[in-house]
Amino acid sequence: MKDERCDIENQILVMDAQDGDAGAMEKLVSRWQRRLWQHAFRLTDDAQAAWDITQQSWLGIIKGLRKLHDPANFKAWAYGITTNKSIDWIKKTKAVKHISLEEVQEQQHKAKYDTGVKELLEKLDIRKRAVLSLYYFEQLDILEISTALNIPKGTVKSRLHNARKELKELWQKHYE
């Protein structure tokens, strides 16, 4: 019942924000800021980048909010924007990142002692990591993930299946 009430409140806030109500937009930001940051952080593993991505996501959300036809899709739509901004950051960072000797040593030290799921998730392709993150951490269903990532439901199911399989294989290799 609580989830349904929150969903209805979110939809009302979205509609009010679409009508230009600054207070409604502030409430949306306060409700969703942390969730969107956590999602960006899970995808990038960089706290500062996650904040930057979250801010960029809010700019996109504010700019495009009037074009959102169904307020019930806000959750998936906002996660989709954040996912895309995270993917853009990852691509950009990989292209220009220069790694110092200290960073290499730190990575080796971390790899040696950090054996959590987080480390294994980082080894997955970003598309698989995004689907797992949205499904398990953000608790979006298949349809919402499909909307968020703008891919067919079948592709979501396939990526989810493949990501679970690959994560299981990584887990087994790591712990055997």
Side-chain angles (χ1 to χ4, degrees):
M1 183 74 174
K2 184 181 176 193
D3 286 341
E4 290 176 16
R5 190 179 85 220
C6 284
D7 289 344
I8 292 169
E9 289 172 358
N10 279 327
Q11 290 176 38
I12 292 169
L13 288 172
V14 168
M15 289 185 288
D16 288 346
Q18 286 175 323
D19 290 338
D21 184 339
M25 181 56 75
E26 285 180 32
K27 287 179 184 175
L28 273 177
V29 171
S30 71
R31 282 181 173 217
W32 289 94
Q33 178 86 350
R34 183 151 183 83
R35 294 182 209 179
L36 296 177
W37 178 85
Q38 288 172 330
H39 179 60
F41 179 71
R42 275 192 285 279
L43 296 178
T44 63
D45 194 35
D46 185 313
Q48 185 57 49
W51 281 118
D52 293 343
I53 290 164
T54 304
Q55 294 307 311
Q56 291 173 11
S57 297
W58 277 113
L59 291 174
I61 290 167
I62 292 166
K63 185 178 179 181
L65 191 60
R66 290 184 190 262
K67 297 176 188 171
L68 180 64
H69 298 294
D70 185 356
N73 286 335
F74 177 80
K75 178 180 177 181
W77 180 70
Y79 278 122
I81 290 171
T82 305
T83 300
N84 290 334
K85 298 285 184 192
S86 298
I87 290 170
D88 291 345
W89 181 87
I90 289 167
K91 288 178 181 176
K92 181 180 174 185
T93 303
K94 280 185 177 181
V96 297
K97 188 171 184 178
H98 300 285
I99 300 175
S100 68
L101 179 59
E102 292 83 23
E103 288 177 299
V104 170
Q105 290 170 339
E106 184 180 320
Q107 289 282 341
Q108 289 172 339
H109 181 73
K110 183 180 176 184
K112 188 173 183 181
Y113 296 104
D114 183 8
T115 58
V117 173
K118 182 180 169 189
E119 180 182 331
L120 297 176
L121 281 171
E122 290 172 10
K123 294 181 180 186
L124 295 177
D125 173 77
I126 184 62
R127 294 176 302 173
K128 292 176 185 173
R129 196 176 344 146
V131 169
L132 283 176
S133 177
L134 291 170
Y135 188 78
Y136 287 108
F137 297 113
E138 307 307 333
Q139 297 166 350
L140 271 66
D141 62 29
I142 301 296
L143 180 59
E144 290 172 319
I145 296 170
S146 171
T147 301
L149 300 179
N150 197 27
I151 57 176
K153 290 189 299 185
T155 303
V156 172
K157 291 177 185 178
S158 174
R159 282 187 191 168
L160 194 55
H161 172 77
N162 291 334
R164 288 177 183 144
K165 183 179 174 186
E166 187 174 337
L167 189 60
K168 179 182 175 185
E169 290 169 1
L170 287 169
W171 181 271
Q172 289 171 338
K173 285 180 189 175
H174 192 75
Y175 289 101
E176 288 178 359

